[in-house]
Amino acid sequence: MQLLFNSFVCVTNKTDLYSTIGSSMGPGQPFHVEPRNIVDDDPQERVSAEAAILNSRLHYYSRLTGSSDRLLSPPNHVIPRPEEIYIYSPLGTAFKVTGSDPSSKNPSIITIFAIWNTMMGTSILSIPWGIKQAGFTLGILILIFTGLLMVYCCYIVLKSSKAIRKSTYVDTSDWEFPDVCRYYFGKFGQWSSLVFSMVSLIGAMVVYWVLMSNFLYNTGQFIYNYAHNVNMSDSEFGTNGSDKVICPYPNTDPGVNNTISTVYFINSGNDTSDVSSFEHWWSKTNTIPFYLIILLLPLLCFRSASFFARFTFLGTISVIYLIVLVSVKAFRLGFHLEFHWFDTTEFFVPEFRLLFPQLTGVLTLAFFIHNCIITLMKSNKNQDNNVRDLSIAYLLVGLTYLYVGVLIFAAFPSPPLFKDCIEPNFLDNFPSSDVMVFVARTFLLFQMITVYPLLGYLVRVQMMGQIFGNHYPSFFHVLALNILIVGAGVLMAKFYPNIGSIIRFSGATCGLALVFVFPALVHMISLKRQGVLRWPSALFHSFLILLGLANLLAQFFM
C-alpha cells in the first residue's frame, strides 16, 4: 500500500502487503499519507492515529528487507486488519477495502466447474474427427491415456511454486508457471514460456476466426434461405429425413480437407441471379473472413477487456447446448458401428489407424490449462483439496469429450455415408437448414465474438508487458499487434480453414514446452536439489519429454 502518482495500489492481504512493501517501495518514496477524507458510509471519517502509526512501522520494516527475504518481514501485530486497509489515491482520497480474503474464496464445487468451463473450448468440436482419425477403439484409449498424462503434468505445475517456497524463503504467492520457469532456467525459461504461451493463445484466436467465419456464413445462409423461401440441398452425399446428415467433401482423403463443396439450390419462385449474387457476396472463404475485421479489430483495441468478461457465461451455455444437441441427434439417428480392427471397409474405418497423432495433438490443446492453473487454484477455499479438485475437474472434462466424441462417431449414419466424412468441425456434417444446429452456431458465434477480444487482451498484456513493460504502450503499438493477429486469422480462414489441423499443430507446439518439457524438468531439478531424485522418476519424466517431442514431430508426417 503506497502512494503512486499515476495509479491506485490495492493491498488486500498480508502476502500482497509483504510483496508491495519489500519490492515496490524504494527509499524516499512516501508510504504514509496524512489523514484525508475517507470515501465510505461516512465521507468525513478520518484515518486514525493508530493506522498512521502502523503505516510508519511498515515503512520502517520496508527499509530492512526485500520481498525475497522473509526473515525480516513485518510481524503479525504490525499488519493492519483487513477492515483497516485502505486504497490511497494521489488526489488525497482513501477508499476503504471492503470484504476480507476468506470471503473471496470459492468452495470446491465452484473451483471444479471453473476449471471445466475454462478448459471447454473449440477443441470439443474436433474430438469426433480426432477419434475417427485414430480409430474408434484406439481413439478412446488415447483420450483416456492423454487425459491422465495431462492431469499429472498439471499437478506438477500446481505444486511447483509451493516446492520453491518450502525449500527457500522466496515468496511465491503471486507466481505463475512462467515465474517458476524463470526461477529454474533464467531468462531463457521466461521468454520461451512466453513464446509457447503466445502460440497457444494466437492459435486459439486463429481457430476462433475460422469458426466465426463458418458460423456467420451458415447463420446468414439460414436466414437468407428462410426469408427467400429457398430450399437447399447441401450435398448429393447426404441422408434423407428430418435429421439430415451430409458429407460436404466426399472425395477427401483422410486428414485432408478441400475447401470446395458441391451445393445444389432448388429455386422456388426467385430469380437465379439473386442467388448467385448472394453467393458472390456471402462466401465462407472469400468474403466472410474480411467482414469480421470491421467488427472485431476495433474491439481488440479496447484498453480494457472487462466488458467482454461479463459474457463468459455464454461459454457454459454453449457447451451445455452442444451436449443436448449431440444427445438428441444420437437418439434420433441411432448407433452405426462395425468393428474392423485393422482393415478399412467401404463405410467404416479400422479400430487402429496410423493417423492417431492427429488426435494426440488435438487433445494436448483440449486438456491444456497449465499456464493458468495456479491462478485458478488460488481462489479455492480449502487449499488441501487442490489435487482432488483438479483431478475431478479433469475427470469431468474427459467424460465430456468422451461423451461428445463417442456419440457423434457412433451415430454418424454409415451406411449410406462413410465414417471418413466426419468433419474437423462436426457441425459441418449437418445442413445449414437444421434449426437445432442453427441455434448452436448462433450461440457459439456470439460466445466467440465476446471471447476473442479477451484472448487478444491476454496476448497484448503478456507480450507488451514483457517487451515494453507497459500493457498499453500506445494505440499504434496495440493496433500493429492486432493487425498481425487478425491477418493470421483471415489468411487461415481463406486458404486453410481446417480447424482440426490448426488445433493439433498449436496444441502439440505449446504442449511440448508447457505440458511436457518444462514441468518434467522442473520436477526433476526440484527433486535433485532435495536429494531425493531416483532413477525410476528420472526415467519416467525423461520419457514424458520424449513423448512431447514425438507428439510435435508426428504432426508434420500426418
Side-chain angles (χ1 to χ4, degrees), residues 197-468:
S197 180
M198 291 298 99
V199 169
S200 65
L201 288 173
I202 295 177
M205 294 183 74
V206 170
V207 171
Y208 271 42
W209 200 277
V210 174
L211 286 174
M212 285 187 292
S213 301
N214 183 314
F215 297 150
L216 182 59
Y217 168 79
N218 284 285
T219 301
Q221 191 77 60
F222 177 90
I223 296 173
Y224 178 86
N225 293 340
Y226 181 82
H228 293 80
N229 195 27
V230 175
N231 295 321
M232 182 176 180
S233 176
D234 292 78
S235 173
E236 61 178 347
F237 299 94
T239 61
N240 296 320
S242 57
D243 289 283
K244 184 177 178 64
V245 180
I246 63 173
C247 185
Y249 311 108
N251 298 320
T252 301
D253 294 329
V256 180
N257 278 324
N258 297 323
T259 58
I260 302 176
S261 61
T262 305
V263 180
Y264 298 90
F265 288 95
I266 302 176
N267 191 13
S268 47
N270 294 294
D271 190 85
T272 306
S273 61
D274 294 337
V275 177
S276 301
S277 177
F278 177 75
E279 283 187 291
H280 176 73
W281 294 106
W282 197 256
S283 170
K284 185 187 296 185
T285 57
N286 293 328
T287 59
I288 300 296
F290 295 95
Y291 293 161
L292 288 172
I293 298 176
I294 303 173
L295 172 64
L296 293 174
L297 185 57
L299 298 181
L300 285 176
C301 295
F302 280 22
R303 184 178 292 270
S304 172
S306 58
F307 172 76
F308 304 102
R310 302 173 185 176
F311 299 95
T312 53
F313 70 92
L314 290 175
T316 304
I317 296 176
S318 301
V319 173
I320 293 175
Y321 184 81
L322 275 179
I323 294 173
V324 173
L325 171 67
V326 168
S327 304
V328 171
K329 293 295 183 182
F331 176 78
R332 292 179 178 176
L333 293 171
F335 287 169
H336 305 269
L337 290 172
E338 285 186 12
F339 295 92
H340 304 274
W341 298 104
F342 300 102
D343 299 323
T344 302
T345 62
E346 181 180 1
F347 297 108
F348 296 91
V349 297
E351 300 303 301
F352 298 89
R353 304 182 75 182
L354 294 178
L355 296 173
F356 69 89
Q358 296 187 357
L359 175 59
T360 61
V362 171
L363 291 176
T364 306
L365 192 63
F367 285 112
F368 181 71
I369 198 175
H370 300 61
N371 60 344
C372 61
I373 187 62
I374 297 177
T375 298
L376 287 174
M377 280 302 188
K378 284 178 184 177
S379 61
N380 202 11
K381 181 177 294 184
N382 192 341
Q383 292 293 305
D384 294 335
N385 295 336
N386 279 354
V387 177
R388 183 202 67 182
D389 296 344
L390 177 67
S391 303
I392 295 175
Y394 261 89
L395 176 63
L396 292 178
V397 171
L399 290 177
T400 305
Y401 288 152
L402 270 176
Y403 185 83
V404 172
V406 168
L407 283 190
I408 289 295
F409 182 91
F412 195 82
S414 302
L417 305 179
F418 39 91
K419 296 292 186 181
D420 258 328
C421 284
I422 298 177
E423 289 293 297
N425 172 10
F426 74 82
L427 294 180
D428 286 343
N429 287 116
F430 298 97
S432 59
S433 57
D434 191 308
V435 177
M436 286 192 68
V437 177
F438 164 75
V439 174
R441 286 170 173 149
T442 305
F443 262 127
L444 289 167
L445 177 61
F446 281 105
Q447 177 217 351
M448 292 179 181
I449 289 176
T450 58
V451 173
Y452 189 84
L454 286 175
L455 294 176
Y457 177 77
L458 294 176
V459 172
R460 182 212 312 167
V461 166
Q462 294 188 34
M463 186 172 294
M464 295 295 185
Q466 289 290 336
I467 297 176
F468 300 103

Side-chain angles (χ1 to χ4, degrees), residues 115-245:
I115 297 173
W116 176 84
N117 187 39
T118 304
M119 219 181 302
M120 286 286 108
T122 56
S123 301
I124 193 173
L125 299 175
S126 296
I127 297 297
W129 172 80
I131 291 178
K132 179 258 294 186
Q133 296 299 87
F136 184 63
T137 301
L138 182 59
I140 294 176
L141 295 177
I142 287 177
L143 197 153
I144 297 172
F145 177 72
T146 305
L148 292 175
L149 284 183
M150 296 288 284
V151 70
Y152 174 72
C153 294
C154 198
Y155 161 72
I156 294 177
V157 172
L158 181 61
K159 73 173 187 176
S160 59
S161 62
K162 295 181 180 179
I164 297 174
R165 185 166 64 246
K166 289 180 180 179
S167 59
T168 66
Y169 289 104
V170 176
D171 182 13
T172 61
S173 57
D174 292 329
W175 283 23
E176 259 295 345
F177 192 59
D179 300 304
V180 176
C181 294
R182 184 178 66 245
Y183 174 82
Y184 283 106
F185 309 112
K187 287 291 184 181
F188 171 78
Q190 176 185 1
W191 285 100
S192 57
S193 62
L194 173 66
V195 169
F196 286 105
S197 180
M198 291 298 99
V199 169
S200 65
L201 288 173
I202 295 177
M205 294 183 74
V206 170
V207 171
Y208 271 42
W209 200 277
V210 174
L211 286 174
M212 285 187 292
S213 301
N214 183 314
F215 297 150
L216 182 59
Y217 168 79
N218 284 285
T219 301
Q221 191 77 60
F222 177 90
I223 296 173
Y224 178 86
N225 293 340
Y226 181 82
H228 293 80
N229 195 27
V230 175
N231 295 321
M232 182 176 180
S233 176
D234 292 78
S235 173
E236 61 178 347
F237 299 94
T239 61
N240 296 320
S242 57
D243 289 283
K244 184 177 178 64
V245 180

